[in-house]
Amino acid sequence: MQKLQETAEKIRTMEIRGAGRIAKAAAEAIRDYAAGLDVASIEEFSTRIQEASSFLISTRPTAVSLPNAVKLASKYSSGNVEEARKEIIENANCFIERADKALGIIGKIGSRRIQDGDVIMTHCNSNAALSIITTAFEDGKDILVIATESRPRRQGLLTVRHLNNFGVPTTLIVDSAVRYYMKEVDKVIVGADAIASNGALVNKIGTSQLALAANEARKSFMVAAETFKFSPNTILGNPIEIEERSSDEVIDPVILADLSQVQVKNPVFDFTPAKYIDMIVTDIGIISPGMAYAIIKEHLGW
Ligand code: RI2
């Protein structure tokens, strides 16, 4: 359990972050936990796997890739401990392989929609969105990227470093400059932490501002998301919880301690309604947000 607890802690503190990376780390943690589980019966095996799954899922509430990965990885049907263990190891490995492949496929499919000369705006740090951008660049397309800083944790700095390593010309802007620069943009490409059955996107706080500004300026808004980022629970009308993180990420606690009348809010995701989304690039192809329900039904086994 110690290694699983360490992974859980890294996800909670965001040492491991990004919806896709979180999903893979959780699948690995369940796999290794099952591999080393010393139990006397299948009932005990089942209880311990369920406990470990719930523990991992509780670390971050919004990215649906986390519960989806844990559920897909921890599935087994055998009543025999050794066979059940084998099933989990295989399912987890299969999930990890699928997740790795998905990024390449999204890059390939999405990059076909990028034109020579495009200016692309992106927000936060999404591997899926970056896969599209760097694939287009490696295909020889002459592109420029405008990347937001993404306060409070400034994941935009990871994005500009990644793009710089690929040699992609990139401009870093503060989040509040999004609308100011939208007139220069051709396409917005962002990642996803979750996609609801009605096609609404949940992604890093501020994403909906990019969507509104893109809509106002009639620019296209593209989401890059693996199929395991779609939320089965939303079919049942359950809302996606928006994670609130510590005020320490926004303001120095020593300064805040002096401000007795001030409270700090730090929601880390927001909702972008489906009507602002032109397309979602997934590992099974490009879909309109209206197809989200079909993805959940056909590709997540609901
Ligand atoms: P990939 C991140 O969340 C960002 O919101 C990003 O858009 C999303 O996960 C998807 O990232 P956080 O973990 O899976 O930084 O595409 O809160 O890498």
Side-chain angles (χ1 to χ4, degrees):
M1 190 74 169
Q2 197 198 334
K3 214 173 137 208
L4 186 129
Q5 276 169 340
E6 276 169 25
T7 303
E9 186 58 13
K10 283 183 186 164
I11 294 173
R12 199 185 60 74
T13 58
M14 291 179 69
E15 188 180 328
I16 298 174
R17 54 147 295 281
R21 281 200 202 95
I22 290 171
K24 278 203 298 177
E28 270 167 27
I30 278 287
R31 177 196 64 195
D32 297 346
Y33 180 67
L37 203 50
D38 185 15
V39 287
S41 67
I42 191 71
E43 288 73 27
E44 198 187 335
F45 183 82
S46 163
T47 309
R48 301 272 291 274
I49 292 291
Q50 270 171 33
E51 276 168 12
S53 299
S54 311
F55 185 63
L56 280 169
I57 291 170
S58 70
T59 52
R60 290 196 73 191
T62 303
V64 73
S65 54
L66 175 59
N68 279 348
V70 170
K71 275 183 198 139
L72 291 169
S74 62
K75 244 187 354 201
Y76 65 88
S77 54
S78 177
N80 170 287
V81 172
E82 282 321 309
E83 277 167 19
R85 192 195 310 277
K86 240 197 247 160
E87 282 184 67
I88 291 185
I89 294 170
E90 267 169 32
N91 283 333
N93 284 338
C94 179
F95 177 82
I96 294 162
E97 200 184 313
R98 185 178 135 199
D100 283 335
K101 275 198 190 137
L103 280 179
I105 298 170
I106 288 171
K108 233 187 208 162
I109 301 176
S111 64
R112 291 190 201 130
R113 300 295 176 107
I114 310 294
Q115 315 293 322
D116 210 27
D118 270 355
V119 176
I120 298 163
M121 185 180 278
T122 190
H123 185 51
C124 194
N125 178 249
S126 157
N127 265 328
L130 284 171
S131 178
I132 295 177
I133 295 170
T134 54
T135 307
F137 184 74
E138 287 189 315
D139 284 348
K141 286 176 185 159
D142 178 20
I143 54 170
L144 285 172
V145 177
I146 299 178
T148 57
E149 180 189 20
S150 310
R151 281 274 296 155
R153 293 185 72 108
R154 308 177 85 204
Q155 291 101 320
L157 300 185
L158 299 171
T159 292
V160 298
R161 183 172 293 280
H162 184 86
L163 292 171
N164 186 67
N165 291 344
F166 273 83
V168 182
T170 305
T171 304
L172 175 69
I173 60 169
V174 295
D175 300 328
S176 40
V178 159
R179 187 165 175 256
Y180 182 80
Y181 279 108
M182 193 54 79
K183 55 187 175 302
E184 294 178 17
V185 169
D186 295 293
K187 294 181 176 77
V188 175
I189 309 180
V190 295
D193 286 85
I195 295 174
S197 59
N198 66 3
L201 165 71
V202 176
N203 193 49
K204 185 57 54 193
I205 190 80
T207 300
S208 64
Q209 289 175 166
L210 272 78
L212 280 175
N215 183 262
E216 178 193 42
R218 303 195 182 284
K219 304 301 169 80
S220 114
F221 190 90
M222 189 191 274
V223 178
E226 299 91 322
T227 45
F228 59 79
K229 305 228 177 110
F230 288 71
S231 167
N233 266 326
T234 56
I235 290 185
L236 308 173
N238 293 322
I240 296 169
E241 184 185 338
I242 298 293
E243 179 181 4
E244 276 261 357
R245 293 186 68 87
S246 162
S247 61
D248 297 3
E249 293 183 348
V250 179
I251 185 170
D252 186 330
V254 178
I255 297 173
L256 186 61
D258 263 352
L259 307 173
S260 61
Q261 298 306 307
V262 175
Q263 63 160 335
V264 175
K265 290 279 189 191
N266 185 20
V268 296
F269 302 104
D270 67 13
F271 285 93
T272 298
K275 66 176 178 180
Y276 295 113
I277 300 168
D278 293 299
M279 65 187 102
I280 305 175
V281 185
T282 78
D283 40 305
I284 56 129
I286 296 181
I287 59 162
S288 71
M291 287 284 287
Y293 175 75
I295 295 277
I296 296 168
K297 290 284 282 183
E298 285 162 33
H299 295 273
L300 290 170
W302 276 59

